[in-house]
């Protein structure tokens, strides 16, 4: 039991090791303690002991040889925290500068601070006195890789907000795809799918300037910085790879054409999209072109911790020439990885390289081996999987289907996907993590956000069983409507997978919604999901009149009505964070109610009415976009539901 004191004792913050990140950690602690004490003058940043002050000492484990902190396998890549504070005085430490920042936020969390979503309206800061602050923590994060990858439509402010939020919930990595993330920023600034806002006409140079500013925020927090991914198969040819919806108006030049993959007897840009165009990887000149480009890029961008080297996106688009037919794409991929390692070593560049097993590359090499495993990390991206099943808690034994060039079918089952991972692990036993898509598309078909959160948490709990040391979530950045539970569940499970999902969820709803949070959780759990039926990767869309779908849709309205009453009862609650959570939930319920009505009309065979109501719902989401901008990606919502309707039309 802590004895409370109401004397306004000043608290000094003494920083032992000074780096950009540790200075930021000390400043964050001072900022939040000033709000906790409701008196900023009570917090003093000190570089040396000051008589008469209650002192919080901040530093690295090496600054405090008298401590017995948790051990970590690698001080740069892994995170551990040590907190021993009694009545406002003591030690907050981490094994590296980033870990110290995580330790500061963990201390603040333990004394009652909460960050249920990015932005100030997602913060809940308690009032305390220094003597109330007693915390003891000594922990190591369960997984090394804990981060997000940019996706969806975003403003610079959106990405800054999510970068700021990640370490507050124990995450340690951020990934900006492509060289300038152009397509993600363009979707927002040009307001794709929202005719109510005029396009800004974003340029590539402006997007690059945004990325440079965001890199500073990543560096300030010491987060592990992942970069690029796709684009290495077109940028070295002088062809921009800006996005999946960025076709080029003409064929490749005569100089570049011999380098392109030969498919169906032709060497050309695949369906007009450079980013989706593979090359003739058996050609040594092609491999050298790519490798030299990567080495030069890393020479020019030394701040990257993990560079992703992926082949083209798309599927069944590999080169069919006689030389490429002598090996699987994975064999030529590993040849390039080995050649890249040799040139990076010669250039004295230590950057680690992430390689991707995904679509055609799910089939492992037959001949090649990685020569220097320490350079590389394997990234498992089961993009075609189902999100109504989770990774099992034991390894699986299953035969792979045969590799048939450009005639592959990709697995939706979890066991089938894991069989591909297991086959790759016979070739590579180094560091590896999952790159998955729980909050990319499927969550839009889970109106309560409960099932997708539970699946994500369970997947993460079982990563270690399958030889994976963490998870980078490829997802929309604004995934906090109706709630931020899936994000909370992912972050919580990555740090401590022994916590139950129900424990994480109960804590989240209390933090985000206050006293009625438990009832809100119970009601949202009652909402059915449609992830298997309507997810864009669904193998078979249901037909009109499908009884299972009709039964699910019939269950929704009664629960939505009960939730609306709960929102009304809490709309004037005094806590700003809770009040905003209820407001966001109310808007989400309106979207869910309209979408339910649309689907009911569709599955009754009333297609024209469904189409008309869908037009109205799109207009509604565009009208309220400013109200939900930080928590809901209107672009990706419309894009995903449109894709589902296109799939339904094909079978109806």
């Amino acid at each position: 039991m802590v004895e409370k004191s109401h004397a306004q004792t000043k608290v000094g913050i003494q920083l032992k090791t000074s780096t950009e990140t540790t200075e930021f950690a000390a400043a964050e602690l001072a900022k939040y303690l000033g709000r906790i004490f409701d008196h900023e003058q009570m917090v003093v940043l000190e570089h040396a002991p000051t008589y008469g002050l209650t002192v919080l000492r901040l530093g690295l484990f090496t600054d405090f040889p008298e401590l017995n902190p948790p051990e970590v396998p690698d001080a740069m890549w892994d995170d551990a925290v040590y907190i021993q504070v009694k009545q406002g005085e003591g030690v907050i430490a981490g094994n590296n500068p980033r870990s110290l920042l995580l330790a500061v936020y963990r201390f603040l969390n333990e004394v009652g601070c909460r960050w249920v979503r990015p932005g100030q309206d997602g913060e809940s800061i308690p009032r305390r006195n220094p003597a109330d602050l007693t915390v003891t923590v000594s922990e190591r994060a369960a997984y090394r890789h804990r981060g997000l990858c940019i996706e969806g439509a975003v403003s610079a402010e959106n990405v800054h907000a999510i970068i700021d939020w990640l370490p507050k919930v124990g995450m340690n990595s951020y990934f900006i795809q492509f060289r300038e993330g152009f397509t993600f920023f363009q979707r927002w600034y040009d307001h794709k799918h929202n005719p109510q806002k005029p396009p800004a006409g974003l340029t590539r140079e402006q997007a690059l300037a945004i990325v440079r500013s965001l890199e500073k925020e990543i560096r300030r927090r010491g987060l592990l910085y992942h970069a690029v991914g796709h684009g290495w198969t077109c940028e070295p040819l002088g062809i921009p790879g800006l996005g999946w919806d960025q076709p080029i108006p003409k064929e490749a030049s005569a100089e570049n054409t011999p380098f392109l993959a030969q498919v169906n007897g032709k060497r050309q840009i695949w369906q007009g999209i450079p980013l989706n165009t593979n090359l003739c990887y058996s050609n040594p000149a092609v491999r050298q072109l790519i490798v030299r480009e990567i080495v030069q890029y890393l020479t020019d961008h030394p701040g990257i911790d993990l560079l992703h080297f992926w082949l083209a996106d798309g599927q069944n688009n590999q080169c069919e020439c006689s030389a490429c037919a002598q090996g699987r794409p994975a064999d030529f991929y590993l040849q390039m990885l080995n050649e890249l390692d040799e040139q990076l070593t010669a250039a004295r560049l230590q950057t680690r390289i992430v390689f991707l097993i995904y679509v055609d590359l799910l089939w492992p090499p037959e001949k090649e081996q990685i020569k220097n495993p320490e350079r590389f990390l394997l990234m498992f991206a089961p993009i075609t999987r189902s999100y109504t099943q989770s990774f099992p808690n034991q390894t699986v034994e299953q035969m792979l289907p045969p590799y048939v060039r450009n005639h592959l079918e990709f697995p939706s089952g979890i066991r089938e996907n894991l069989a591909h991972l297991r086959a790759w692990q016979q070739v590579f036993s180094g560091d590896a993590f999952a790159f998955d898509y729980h909050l990319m598309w499927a969550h839009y078909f889970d109106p309560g956000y409960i099932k997708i959160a539970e699946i994500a948490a369970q997947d993460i709990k079982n990563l270690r069983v399958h030889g994976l040391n963490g998870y980078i979530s490829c997802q929309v950045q604004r995934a906090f409507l109706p709630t931020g539970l899936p994000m909370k569940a992912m972050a919580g499970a990555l740090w401590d997978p022994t916590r139950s999902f129900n424990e994480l969820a109960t804590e989240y709803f209390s933090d985000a919604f206050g006293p009625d949070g438990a009832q809100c959780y119970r009601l949202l759990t009652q909402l059915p999901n449609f992830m298997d039926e309507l997810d864009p990767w669904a193998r078979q869309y249901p037909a009109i009149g499908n009884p299972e779908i009709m039964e699910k849709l019939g269950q929704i309205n009664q629960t939505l009505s009960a939730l609306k009453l709960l929102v009304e009862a809490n709309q004037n609650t005094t806590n700003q964070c809770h009040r905003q959570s209820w407001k966001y939930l109310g808007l989400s319920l309106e979207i869910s109610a309209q979408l339910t009505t649309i689907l009911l009309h569709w599955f009754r065979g009333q297609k024209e009415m469904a189409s008309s109501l869908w037009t109205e719902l799109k207009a509604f989401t565009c009208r309220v976009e400013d109200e939900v901008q930080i928590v809901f990606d209107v672009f990706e919502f419309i894009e995903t539901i449109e894709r589902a309707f296109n799939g339904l039309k094909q079978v109806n």
Side-chain angles (χ1 to χ4, degrees):
M1 179 68 69
V2 175
E3 294 183 7
K4 294 190 176 183
S5 168
H6 297 285
Q8 287 198 344
T9 306
K10 282 193 174 183
V11 173
I13 297 174
Q14 184 189 123
L15 183 61
K16 294 286 191 177
T17 293
S18 180
T19 70
E20 182 180 15
T21 299
T22 61
E23 293 278 359
F24 180 73
E28 285 288 277
L29 181 60
K31 177 180 77 175
Y32 281 107
L33 285 180
R35 293 173 63 186
I36 288 170
F37 300 153
D38 200 21
H39 194 341
E40 290 186 7
Q41 283 68 39
M42 290 178 65
V43 183
V44 181
L45 285 169
E46 293 289 327
H47 291 281
T50 302
Y51 180 76
L53 284 182
T54 297
V55 176
L56 285 168
R57 294 180 295 153
L58 271 61
L60 308 183
F61 289 172
T62 52
D63 294 323
F64 304 103
E66 72 277 12
L67 302 182
N68 185 27
E71 294 183 0
V72 294
D74 189 295
M76 173 183 172
W77 300 100
D78 296 298
D79 293 304
V81 299
Y82 182 92
I83 305 166
Q84 189 67 51
V85 175
K86 184 175 182 180
Q87 295 183 332
E89 188 159 15
V91 172
I92 301 174
N95 62 288
N96 60 47
R98 174 186 67 250
S99 302
L100 174 59
L101 179 62
L102 300 182
V104 163
Y105 289 134
R106 177 61 180 273
F107 169 75
L108 292 168
N109 182 274
E110 292 292 326
V111 301
C113 295
R114 295 293 184 267
W115 297 277
V116 301
R117 59 183 166 268
Q120 281 200 341
D121 71 24
E123 293 185 343
S124 184
I125 310 301
R127 294 285 183 261
R128 298 282 189 273
N129 290 292
D132 300 339
L133 309 185
T134 295
V135 176
T136 300
V137 174
S138 180
E139 290 180 4
R140 188 184 101 193
Y143 291 110
R144 172 176 292 174
H145 305 285
R146 311 182 309 280
L148 255 61
C149 173
I150 192 172
E151 252 294 355
V154 289
S155 68
E157 293 78 13
N158 293 147
V159 183
H160 181 286
I162 202 76
I163 289 169
D164 181 67
W165 184 78
L166 288 175
K168 291 174 178 173
V169 294
M171 304 281 259
N172 71 347
S173 306
Y174 194 74
F175 179 9
I176 299 179
Q177 285 191 82
F178 313 140
R179 302 187 185 201
E180 63 294 287
F182 177 79
T183 191
F184 313 112
F185 296 111
Q186 185 197 40
R187 290 167 179 171
W188 168 252
Y189 288 106
D190 285 1
H191 302 297
K192 292 192 172 184
H193 293 329
N194 189 347
Q196 299 175 24
K197 290 180 177 290
L202 185 77
T203 66
R204 186 175 187 176
E205 291 71 28
Q206 289 171 322
L208 190 59
I210 291 172
V211 168
R212 294 289 92 87
S213 70
L214 294 171
E215 287 173 341
K216 293 178 182 177
E217 299 304 323
I218 293 168
R219 183 171 62 248
R220 179 174 290 125
R221 291 160 180 80
L223 300 180
L224 295 172
Y225 178 31
H226 296 239
V228 189
H230 292 304
W232 298 114
T233 57
C234 53
E235 295 279 359
L237 301 177
I239 304 173
L242 299 180
W244 300 273
D245 57 351
Q246 302 285 333
I248 60 173
K250 58 184 179 181
E251 286 299 317
S253 67
E255 180 184 9
N256 284 335
T257 296
F259 292 160
L260 305 182
Q262 178 181 302
V263 184
N264 297 324
K266 296 180 179 179
R267 295 186 186 272
Q268 57 188 7
I269 301 296
W270 180 255
Q271 298 175 348
I273 306 295
L275 204 67
N276 293 348
T277 302
N278 274 301
L279 303 182
C280 184
Y281 302 122
S282 64
N283 184 339
V286 167
R287 298 199 303 273
Q288 276 303 301
L289 191 69
I290 294 172
V291 167
R292 283 197 300 267
E293 180 84 3
I294 295 173
V295 173
Q296 186 60 55
Y297 190 82
L298 285 175
T299 301
D300 296 339
H301 299 84
I304 295 170
D305 296 303
L306 299 111
L307 183 96
H308 289 239
F309 168 29
W310 306 347
L311 302 187
D313 211 346
Q315 52 196 264
N316 289 319
N317 55 355
Q318 296 290 336
C319 187
E320 297 169 345
C321 78
S322 58
C324 284
Q326 299 305 306
R328 290 180 179 177
D331 283 295
F332 295 112
Y333 193 22
L334 263 60
Q335 279 189 28
M336 281 189 284
L337 292 176
N338 287 329
E339 291 162 0
L340 175 60
D341 173 57
E342 290 174 5
Q343 293 197 26
L344 289 173
T345 301
R348 298 184 178 180
L349 292 169
Q350 302 300 314
T351 316
R352 299 190 71 188
I353 305 298
V354 178
F355 69 95
L356 168 67
I357 63 171
Y358 167 85
V359 292
D360 301 52
L361 290 170
L362 285 171
W363 281 261
E366 294 180 301
K367 307 167 188 175
E368 298 293 329
Q369 297 278 334
I370 286 180
K371 296 177 182 178
N372 178 17
E374 292 301 312
R375 168 77 70 180
F376 299 101
L377 297 89
L378 178 153
M379 190 176 84
F380 173 53
I383 192 170
T384 59
R385 62 165 288 189
S386 163
Y387 288 98
T388 57
Q389 308 167 37
S390 59
F391 289 3
N393 60 4
Q394 58 188 9
T395 57
V396 299
E397 298 292 341
Q398 186 152 334
M399 294 289 292
L400 293 188
Y403 176 79
V404 182
R405 185 178 300 267
N406 293 343
H407 294 281
L408 299 171
E409 293 187 8
F410 303 100
S412 61
I414 300 300
R415 294 177 62 87
E416 292 83 357
N417 273 284
L418 289 171
H420 286 274
L421 171 63
R422 194 162 177 79
W424 263 98
Q425 288 169 336
Q426 307 309 306
V427 178
F428 179 80
S429 59
D431 199 359
F433 60 90
F435 184 82
D436 217 332
Y437 307 83
H438 297 83
L439 297 179
M440 188 65 242
W441 305 289
H443 62 295
Y444 292 121
F445 304 104
D446 181 16
Y449 258 33
I450 303 296
K451 184 64 175 180
I452 195 66
E454 186 175 13
I455 291 291
Q458 191 61 45
D459 284 345
I460 290 167
K461 286 174 186 289
N462 293 330
L463 289 176
R464 186 77 65 188
V465 173
H466 302 288
L468 298 169
N469 195 8
Y471 173 54
I472 302 295
S473 181
C474 184
Q475 62 165 82
V476 295
Q477 309 298 277
R478 298 177 285 149
F480 296 85
L481 192 86
T483 75
L485 176 63
M487 297 290 287
K488 164 75 173 185
M490 289 192 298
L494 282 165
W495 186 272
D496 180 8
T498 66
R499 296 186 69 191
S500 72
F501 172 73
N502 187 59
E503 180 185 356
L504 288 167
T506 299
E507 180 181 87
Y508 172 81
F509 277 94
S510 175
D511 294 342
F513 292 93
D516 279 342
Q519 189 177 358
C520 182
Y521 174 30
R522 180 180 62 80
L523 288 169
L524 287 172
T525 302
Q526 295 174 13
L527 290 173
N529 74 81
F530 303 88
M531 292 188 289
D532 263 355
E533 298 93 342
L534 299 178
D535 184 283
W537 291 100
R539 287 298 181 270
Q540 181 62 54
Y541 285 100
I544 285 173
N546 181 283
E548 290 82 8
I549 284 276
M550 296 300 290
E551 182 180 356
K552 282 186 176 183
L553 290 168
Q555 296 171 7
I556 290 180
N557 283 330
Q558 186 174 354
T559 303
L560 291 180
S561 297
L563 281 162
K564 287 178 181 178
L565 290 174
L566 199 59
V567 169
E568 290 171 6
N570 285 276
Q571 61 186 353
N572 295 318
T573 186
T574 56
N575 181 293
Q576 180 195 16
C577 175
H578 298 165
R579 186 169 63 251
Q580 195 65 29
S581 295
W582 289 110
K583 178 183 176 181
Y584 287 142
L585 178 59
L587 286 165
S588 176
L589 297 177
E590 179 59 34
I591 292 169
S592 293
Q594 290 190 40
L595 186 56
T596 299
T597 301
I598 292 165
L599 291 171
L600 277 168
H601 281 293
W602 177 271
F603 285 104
R604 287 171 181 161
Q606 300 162 343
K607 296 182 183 179
E608 289 187 10
M609 177 60 75
S611 178
S612 175
L613 292 174
W614 171 230
T615 299
E616 291 181 15
L617 176 53
K618 286 188 287 186
F620 173 77
T621 58
C622 291
R623 283 198 306 275
V624 301
E625 185 168 28
D626 287 345
E627 295 181 57
V628 296
Q629 202 277 341
I630 198 169
V631 294
F632 184 59
D633 191 327
V634 169
F635 162 82
E636 200 64 54
F637 171 75
I638 292 175
E639 184 88 357
T640 302
I641 304 301
E642 287 276 18
R643 196 178 299 130
F645 275 121
N646 289 336
L648 287 169
K649 289 172 184 175
Q650 291 176 13
V651 298
N652 292 288

